[in-house]
Amino acid sequence: SAAMLLFSSVIEYLGVYLDGAPVCFRILHICLKVTELSLSPFITIILITTFNGFAKAKRLFPIALINLSLEILTGFTGFMFYVDSSNFYHHNTYYSVYTIIYIICGIYFFHECVTFSRQYQNRNVLSLLSIIIFLIAGLSLHTLHTDIRADWLTLIIGDTMFYIYYNNLVNQMDSLTKLLDRKSYDTSIRDLRKKAKIIIFDVDNFKSVNDTY
């Protein structure tokens, strides 16, 4: 996912660089914008696959393919965006279609993040909320100020933050039972800031359960 985000960032940079460039680069400019806007749903699919499996991520494939088809069609017709005769990029009447697809993918991604967090007892949920808020704020900048090109940079930073969050979460859980492991238990006890009671119990003959199941 990081490689695709980096690739998308380069595509966006080249698109900005070509904005207003000599008209001989107009076709290349259009191709770059088609590529950039087509990648967004596929990046969401890759991210969800990374932490929640392909079975959940593949639900976005129809939307990703629809978006890809619309972007390619737009390259010829200009109904969502166009590059004028002076080689300047502009949103067109139906650019909102791309925005809606972008929002749908974002909502589904956040839903899967929450689902993933629940599998691990909502540990570090504040970190997850911080990442979501950061992504919403960063991606909203371009909507509010079209001159600010922070979309892909925001996604790269957000992807890095999520990778750290994911590893911290997985590394403090037992992979079989999804219960806190000993290291996480010790950390939780160390971080207690108020009086608490700890109940410890032993299960007789539990070895037979392990051997059977």
Side-chain angles (χ1 to χ4, degrees), residues 97-112:
V97 174
Y98 169 75
T99 304
I100 291 170
I101 291 174
Y102 197 95
I103 291 172
I104 290 172
C105 291
I107 291 173
Y108 187 72
F109 174 74
F110 296 145
H111 172 267
E112 289 304 307

Side-chain angles (χ1 to χ4, degrees), residues 6 52 54 66 72-73 79 86-87 91 96 98 101 104 110 140 142 144 162 164 171 188 208:
L6 183 59
N52 234 12
F54 182 69
I66 290 171
I72 293 174
L73 182 62
F79 78 99
S86 298
N87 201 20
H91 293 174
S96 57
Y98 169 75
I101 291 174
I104 290 172
F110 296 145
S140 298
H142 182 60
L144 298 174
F162 190 82
I164 295 171
N171 289 335
S188 299
S208 62

